[in-house]
Coordinates of all heavy atoms in Angstrom, one line a residue:
W97 N -6.0 -1.0 14.3 CA -4.7 -1.0 14.7 C -4.6 -1.6 16.1 O -5.3 -1.2 17.0 CB -4.0 0.3 14.6 CG -2.6 0.3 15.2 CD1 -2.1 0.9 16.4 CD2 -1.5 -0.5 14.7 NE1 -0.8 0.6 16.6 CE2 -0.4 -0.3 15.6 CE3 -1.3 -1.3 13.6 CZ2 0.9 -0.8 15.4 CZ3 0.0 -1.9 13.4 CH2 1.0 -1.7 14.3
A98 N -3.7 -2.6 16.3 CA -3.5 -3.2 17.6 C -4.7 -4.0 18.1 O -4.9 -4.3 19.2 CB -3.0 -2.3 18.7
C99 N -5.7 -4.2 17.1 CA -7.0 -4.8 17.4 C -7.7 -4.2 18.6 O -8.2 -4.8 19.5 CB -6.7 -6.3 17.7 SG -6.3 -7.2 16.2
D100 N -7.7 -2.9 18.6 CA -8.4 -2.1 19.6 C -9.9 -2.3 19.4 O -10.4 -2.1 18.3 CB -8.0 -0.6 19.4 CG -8.6 0.3 20.5 OD1 -9.5 -0.1 21.2 OD2 -8.2 1.5 20.6
T101 N -10.6 -2.6 20.5 CA -12.0 -3.0 20.3 C -13.0 -1.8 20.3 O -14.2 -2.0 20.1 CB -12.4 -3.9 21.5 OG1 -12.2 -3.2 22.7 CG2 -11.6 -5.2 21.5
V102 N -12.5 -0.6 20.5 CA -13.4 0.6 20.6 C -14.1 0.7 19.2 O -13.5 0.7 18.2 CB -12.6 1.9 20.8 CG1 -13.5 3.1 20.8 CG2 -11.9 1.8 22.2
G103 N -15.4 0.7 19.3 CA -16.3 0.9 18.2 C -16.5 -0.3 17.3 O -17.1 -0.3 16.3
Q104 N -16.0 -1.4 17.7 CA -16.1 -2.7 16.9 C -17.4 -3.3 17.1 O -18.0 -3.4 18.2 CB -15.0 -3.7 17.4 CG -13.6 -3.3 17.0 CD -13.3 -3.5 15.5 OE1 -13.5 -4.5 15.0 NE2 -12.7 -2.5 14.9
T105 N -18.0 -3.8 15.9 CA -19.2 -4.5 15.9 C -19.1 -5.7 15.0 O -18.0 -5.9 14.4 CB -20.4 -3.6 15.4 OG1 -20.2 -3.5 13.9 CG2 -20.4 -2.3 16.0
K106 N -20.1 -6.5 14.9 CA -20.0 -7.7 14.0 C -20.0 -7.3 12.5 O -19.7 -8.1 11.7 CB -21.2 -8.6 14.3 CG -22.5 -8.0 13.9 CD -23.7 -9.0 14.2 CE -25.0 -8.5 13.9 NZ -26.1 -9.5 14.2
H107 N -20.2 -6.0 12.3 CA -20.2 -5.5 10.9 C -18.9 -4.7 10.6 O -18.8 -4.2 9.5 CB -21.4 -4.7 10.6 CG -22.7 -5.3 10.9 ND1 -23.1 -6.4 10.1 CD2 -23.7 -5.1 11.8 CE1 -24.3 -6.8 10.5 NE2 -24.7 -6.1 11.5
T108 N -18.0 -4.7 11.5 CA -16.7 -3.9 11.2 C -15.8 -4.8 10.4 O -14.9 -5.5 10.9 CB -16.1 -3.5 12.6 OG1 -17.0 -2.9 13.4 CG2 -14.9 -2.6 12.3
L109 N -16.0 -4.8 9.1 CA -15.2 -5.5 8.2 C -15.5 -5.0 6.8 O -16.5 -4.3 6.6 CB -15.4 -7.0 8.2 CG -16.7 -7.6 7.6 CD1 -16.6 -9.1 7.5 CD2 -17.9 -7.3 8.4
V110 N -14.6 -5.3 5.8 CA -14.9 -5.0 4.4 C -15.0 -6.4 3.7 O -14.1 -7.1 3.6 CB -13.8 -4.2 3.8 CG1 -14.0 -4.0 2.3 CG2 -13.7 -2.8 4.5
R111 N -16.2 -6.6 3.2 CA -16.5 -7.9 2.5 C -15.8 -8.0 1.2 O -16.0 -7.0 0.4 CB -18.0 -8.1 2.4 CG -18.7 -8.2 3.7 CD -20.2 -8.3 3.5 NE -20.9 -8.4 4.8 CZ -21.2 -7.4 5.6 NH1 -20.9 -6.2 5.3 NH2 -21.8 -7.6 6.8
P112 N -15.2 -9.1 0.9 CA -14.6 -9.2 -0.5 C -15.6 -9.1 -1.6 O -15.3 -8.6 -2.7 CB -14.0 -10.6 -0.4 CG -13.7 -10.9 1.0 CD -14.8 -10.2 1.8
S113 N -16.8 -9.6 -1.3 CA -17.9 -9.5 -2.3 C -18.2 -8.0 -2.7 O -18.6 -7.7 -3.8 CB -19.1 -10.2 -1.9 OG -19.6 -9.7 -0.7
D114 N -18.1 -7.1 -1.7 CA -18.4 -5.7 -1.9 C -17.3 -5.1 -2.8 O -17.6 -4.3 -3.7 CB -18.6 -5.0 -0.6 CG -19.8 -5.3 0.2 OD1 -20.8 -5.8 -0.5 OD2 -19.9 -5.2 1.4
V115 N -16.1 -5.4 -2.5 CA -15.0 -5.0 -3.3 C -15.1 -5.5 -4.7 O -14.9 -4.8 -5.7 CB -13.6 -5.4 -2.7 CG1 -12.5 -4.9 -3.6 CG2 -13.5 -4.8 -1.3
A116 N -15.4 -6.8 -4.8 CA -15.6 -7.4 -6.1 C -16.7 -6.8 -6.9 O -16.6 -6.6 -8.2 CB -15.8 -8.9 -6.0
K117 N -17.8 -6.4 -6.3 CA -18.9 -5.8 -7.0 C -18.5 -4.5 -7.6 O -18.8 -4.2 -8.8 CB -20.0 -5.5 -6.0 CG -21.3 -4.9 -6.6 CD -22.4 -4.7 -5.5 CE -23.6 -4.0 -6.2 NZ -24.7 -3.8 -5.1
D118 N -17.7 -3.7 -6.9 CA -17.2 -2.4 -7.5 C -16.2 -2.7 -8.6 O -16.1 -2.0 -9.6 CB -16.5 -1.6 -6.4 CG -17.5 -0.8 -5.6 OD1 -18.7 -0.8 -5.9 OD2 -17.1 -0.2 -4.6
A119 N -15.4 -3.8 -8.5 CA -14.4 -4.1 -9.4 C -15.0 -4.6 -10.8 O -14.3 -4.6 -11.8 CB -13.5 -5.2 -8.9
R120 N -16.3 -4.9 -10.8 CA -16.9 -5.3 -12.1 C -16.7 -4.2 -13.2 O -16.7 -4.5 -14.4 CB -18.4 -5.6 -11.9 CG -18.6 -6.9 -11.1 CD -20.1 -7.0 -10.8 NE -20.4 -8.2 -10.0 CZ -21.6 -8.5 -9.4 NH1 -22.6 -7.6 -9.6 NH2 -21.7 -9.5 -8.7
N121 N -16.7 -3.0 -12.8 CA -16.7 -1.9 -13.7 C -15.3 -1.1 -13.7 O -15.2 0.0 -14.2 CB -17.8 -0.9 -13.4 CG -19.2 -1.5 -13.5 OD1 -19.4 -2.2 -14.5 ND2 -20.0 -1.2 -12.6
A122 N -14.3 -1.8 -13.1 CA -13.0 -1.1 -13.0 C -12.0 -1.7 -14.0 O -12.2 -2.9 -14.4 CB -12.5 -1.3 -11.6
D123 N -11.1 -1.0 -14.4 CA -10.0 -1.5 -15.2 C -8.8 -1.9 -14.4 O -8.1 -2.9 -14.7 CB -9.5 -0.4 -16.2 CG -10.6 0.1 -17.1 OD1 -11.2 -0.8 -17.8 OD2 -10.9 1.3 -17.2
I124 N -8.5 -1.2 -13.3 CA -7.4 -1.5 -12.4 C -7.8 -1.4 -11.0 O -8.5 -0.4 -10.6 CB -6.2 -0.5 -12.7 CG1 -5.8 -0.6 -14.1 CG2 -5.1 -0.8 -11.7 CD1 -4.9 0.6 -14.5
V125 N -7.4 -2.3 -10.1 CA -7.6 -2.3 -8.7 C -6.2 -2.4 -8.0 O -5.4 -3.2 -8.4 CB -8.5 -3.4 -8.2 CG1 -8.6 -3.4 -6.6 CG2 -9.9 -3.3 -8.8
I126 N -5.9 -1.4 -7.1 CA -4.6 -1.4 -6.5 C -4.8 -1.7 -5.0 O -5.6 -1.1 -4.3 CB -4.0 -0.1 -6.6 CG1 -3.9 0.3 -8.1 CG2 -2.5 -0.1 -6.1 CD1 -3.3 1.7 -8.4
L127 N -4.1 -2.7 -4.5 CA -4.2 -3.1 -3.1 C -2.9 -2.8 -2.3 O -1.8 -3.0 -2.7 CB -4.4 -4.6 -3.0 CG -5.6 -5.2 -3.8 CD1 -5.6 -6.7 -3.7 CD2 -6.9 -4.6 -3.4
S128 N -3.1 -2.2 -1.2 CA -2.0 -1.9 -0.2 C -2.4 -2.1 1.2 O -1.9 -1.6 2.1 CB -1.6 -0.4 -0.4 OG -2.6 0.5 0.0
H129 N -3.4 -3.0 1.4 CA -4.1 -3.2 2.7 C -3.4 -4.2 3.6 O -3.8 -4.5 4.7 CB -5.5 -3.7 2.5 CG -5.6 -5.0 1.8 ND1 -5.0 -5.3 0.6 CD2 -6.3 -6.1 2.2 CE1 -5.3 -6.5 0.3 NE2 -6.0 -7.1 1.2
W130 N -2.2 -4.7 3.1 CA -1.5 -5.7 3.9 C -0.3 -5.1 4.6 O 0.5 -5.8 5.3 CB -1.1 -6.8 3.0 CG 0.0 -6.5 2.0 CD1 -0.2 -5.8 0.8 CD2 1.4 -6.8 2.0 NE1 1.0 -5.7 0.1 CE2 2.0 -6.3 0.9 CE3 2.2 -7.5 2.9 CZ2 3.3 -6.4 0.6 CZ3 3.5 -7.7 2.6 CH2 4.1 -7.1 1.5
M131 N -0.1 -3.8 4.6 CA 1.1 -3.2 5.1 C 1.3 -3.4 6.6 O 2.4 -3.6 7.1 CB 1.1 -1.6 4.9 CG 1.0 -1.2 3.5 SD 2.5 -1.4 2.6 CE 2.1 -0.8 1.0
N132 N 0.2 -3.5 7.4 CA 0.3 -3.7 8.8 C 0.4 -5.2 9.3 O 0.6 -5.4 10.5 CB -0.9 -3.1 9.5 CG -0.8 -1.6 9.4 OD1 0.2 -0.9 9.5 ND2 -2.0 -0.9 9.2
D133 N 0.3 -6.1 8.3 CA 0.3 -7.5 8.7 C 1.6 -7.9 9.5 O 1.5 -8.6 10.5 CB 0.2 -8.4 7.5 CG -1.1 -8.4 6.8 OD1 -1.9 -7.5 7.2 OD2 -1.4 -9.2 6.0
S134 N 2.7 -7.4 9.0 CA 4.0 -7.8 9.6 C 4.5 -6.7 10.6 O 5.7 -6.7 11.0 CB 5.1 -8.0 8.5 OG 5.3 -6.8 7.8
K135 N 3.6 -5.9 11.1 CA 4.0 -4.8 12.1 C 3.4 -5.1 13.4 O 3.4 -4.2 14.3 CB 3.6 -3.4 11.5 CG 4.3 -3.0 10.3 CD 3.9 -1.6 9.9 CE 4.6 -1.2 8.6 NZ 4.3 0.2 8.2
Q136 N 2.9 -6.3 13.6 CA 2.2 -6.5 14.9 C 3.0 -6.6 16.1 O 2.5 -6.5 17.3 CB 1.4 -7.8 14.7 CG 0.3 -7.8 13.6 CD -0.7 -6.6 13.8 OE1 -1.2 -6.4 14.9 NE2 -0.9 -5.9 12.7
R137 N 4.4 -6.6 15.9 CA 5.2 -6.6 17.1 C 5.1 -5.3 17.8 O 5.4 -5.2 19.0 CB 6.7 -6.9 16.7 CG 7.3 -5.9 15.8 CD 8.7 -6.4 15.4 NE 9.4 -5.5 14.5 CZ 9.2 -5.3 13.2 NH1 8.3 -6.1 12.7 NH2 9.9 -4.5 12.5
W138 N 4.8 -4.2 17.1 CA 4.7 -2.9 17.7 C 3.4 -2.8 18.5 O 3.2 -1.8 19.3 CB 4.6 -1.8 16.6 CG 5.8 -1.8 15.7 CD1 5.9 -2.1 14.4 CD2 7.2 -1.6 16.1 NE1 7.1 -2.0 13.9 CE2 8.0 -1.7 14.9 CE3 7.8 -1.3 17.3 CZ2 9.4 -1.6 15.0 CZ3 9.2 -1.2 17.3 CH2 10.0 -1.3 16.2
A139 N 2.5 -3.8 18.4 CA 1.3 -3.8 19.2 C 1.2 -5.1 20.1 O 0.2 -5.6 20.4 CB 0.1 -3.8 18.3
S140 N 2.4 -5.6 20.5 CA 2.5 -6.7 21.4 C 1.8 -8.0 20.9 O 1.4 -8.8 21.6 CB 2.0 -6.4 22.8 OG 2.7 -5.3 23.3
F141 N 1.7 -8.0 19.6 CA 1.1 -9.2 18.9 C -0.3 -9.5 19.4 O -0.8 -10.7 19.4 CB 2.0 -10.5 19.1 CG 3.3 -10.3 18.5 CD1 4.4 -10.1 19.2 CD2 3.5 -10.4 17.1 CE1 5.7 -9.9 18.7 CE2 4.7 -10.3 16.5 CZ 5.9 -10.0 17.3
Q142 N -1.1 -8.5 19.8 CA -2.4 -8.7 20.3 C -3.3 -9.3 19.3 O -4.2 -10.2 19.6 CB -3.0 -7.4 20.8 CG -2.4 -6.9 22.1 CD -3.3 -5.8 22.7 OE1 -3.9 -6.0 23.8 NE2 -3.5 -4.7 22.0
C143 N -3.1 -8.9 18.0 CA -4.0 -9.5 16.9 C -3.7 -11.0 16.7 O -4.5 -11.7 16.1 CB -3.8 -8.7 15.6 SG -4.3 -7.0 15.7
F144 N -2.6 -11.5 17.1 CA -2.2 -12.9 17.0 C -2.3 -13.6 18.3 O -1.7 -14.6 18.6 CB -0.8 -13.0 16.4 CG -0.6 -12.4 15.1 CD1 0.6 -11.9 14.7 CD2 -1.7 -12.4 14.1 CE1 0.8 -11.4 13.4 CE2 -1.5 -11.9 12.9 CZ -0.3 -11.4 12.5
R145 N -3.1 -13.1 19.2 CA -3.3 -13.6 20.6 C -2.0 -13.8 21.3 O -1.7 -14.7 22.1 CB -4.0 -15.0 20.5 CG -4.8 -15.4 21.8 CD -5.3 -16.8 21.8 NE -6.1 -17.1 23.0 CZ -5.6 -17.4 24.1 NH1 -4.2 -17.4 24.3 NH2 -6.3 -17.7 25.2
G146 N -1.1 -12.8 21.1 CA 0.2 -12.8 21.8 C 1.2 -13.7 21.2 O 2.4 -13.7 21.7
D147 N 0.9 -14.4 20.1 CA 1.9 -15.2 19.4 C 2.9 -14.4 18.6 O 2.5 -13.6 17.7 CB 1.1 -16.2 18.5 CG 2.1 -17.1 17.7 OD1 3.3 -17.2 18.1 OD2 1.6 -17.8 16.8
P148 N 4.2 -14.4 19.0 CA 5.2 -13.5 18.3 C 5.5 -14.1 16.9 O 6.6 -14.5 16.6 CB 6.4 -13.6 19.2 CG 6.3 -15.0 19.8 CD 4.8 -15.2 20.0
V149 N 4.5 -13.9 16.0 CA 4.6 -14.5 14.7 C 5.9 -14.1 13.9 O 6.5 -14.9 13.3 CB 3.3 -14.2 13.9 CG1 3.5 -14.6 12.4 CG2 2.2 -15.0 14.5
D150 N 6.1 -12.8 13.9 CA 7.3 -12.3 13.2 C 8.2 -11.5 14.0 O 8.8 -10.4 13.6 CB 6.8 -11.4 12.0 CG 5.9 -10.3 12.4 OD1 5.7 -10.1 13.7 OD2 5.3 -9.6 11.6
L151 N 8.5 -12.0 15.2 CA 9.4 -11.3 16.2 C 10.8 -11.1 15.6 O 11.4 -10.1 15.7 CB 9.4 -12.0 17.5 CG 10.3 -11.3 18.6 CD1 9.8 -9.9 18.9 CD2 10.3 -12.2 19.9
N152 N 11.3 -12.2 15.0 CA 12.7 -12.2 14.6 C 12.9 -12.0 13.1 O 14.0 -11.9 12.6 CB 13.4 -13.5 15.0 CG 13.4 -13.7 16.5 OD1 13.7 -12.8 17.2 ND2 13.1 -14.9 17.0
N153 N 11.8 -11.9 12.4 CA 11.9 -11.6 11.0 C 10.6 -11.0 10.5 O 9.6 -10.9 11.3 CB 12.2 -12.9 10.2 CG 11.2 -14.0 10.4 OD1 10.0 -13.8 10.1 ND2 11.6 -15.1 11.0
S154 N 10.5 -10.6 9.3 CA 9.3 -10.0 8.7 C 8.5 -11.0 7.9 O 7.5 -10.6 7.3 CB 9.6 -8.8 7.9 OG 10.1 -7.7 8.7
T155 N 8.9 -12.2 7.8 CA 8.3 -13.2 6.9 C 7.4 -14.2 7.7 O 6.7 -14.9 7.1 CB 9.3 -14.0 6.1 OG1 10.2 -14.7 7.1 CG2 10.2 -13.1 5.3
G156 N 7.4 -14.1 9.0 CA 6.6 -15.1 9.8 C 5.1 -14.9 9.5 O 4.3 -15.9 9.6
S157 N 4.7 -13.7 9.2 CA 3.3 -13.4 8.9 C 2.9 -13.6 7.5 O 1.8 -13.4 7.1 CB 2.9 -12.0 9.4 OG 3.7 -11.0 8.6
A158 N 3.9 -13.9 6.6 CA 3.6 -14.1 5.2 C 2.5 -15.1 4.9 O 1.7 -14.8 4.0 CB 4.9 -14.5 4.5
P159 N 2.5 -16.2 5.5 CA 1.3 -17.2 5.1 C 0.0 -16.6 5.4 O -1.0 -16.8 4.7 CB 1.6 -18.4 6.0 CG 3.1 -18.3 6.3 CD 3.4 -16.9 6.4
I160 N -0.1 -15.8 6.5 CA -1.4 -15.1 6.8 C -1.7 -14.1 5.7 O -2.8 -14.0 5.2 CB -1.3 -14.4 8.1 CG1 -1.1 -15.4 9.2 CG2 -2.6 -13.6 8.4 CD1 -0.8 -14.8 10.6

Side-chain angles (χ1 to χ4, degrees):
W97 173 248
C99 291
D100 186 345
T101 60
V102 175
Q104 291 285 310
T105 73
K106 65 180 181 180
H107 301 297
T108 309
L109 76 168
V110 174
R111 296 175 178 83
S113 61
D114 290 338
V115 179
K117 181 179 179 181
D118 280 353
R120 290 175 182 170
N121 299 315
D123 297 307
I124 303 168
V125 175
I126 307 178
L127 304 179
S128 65
H129 64 306
W130 68 283
M131 301 288 181
N132 291 324
D133 290 13
S134 62
K135 297 183 179 182
Q136 298 304 314
R137 64 186 181 281
W138 304 117
S140 301
F141 298 103
Q142 288 198 114
C143 294
F144 298 148
R145 204 186 182 283
D147 180 13
V149 170
D150 54 5
L151 180 61
N152 297 317
N153 57 63
S154 292
T155 60
S157 59
I160 298 172

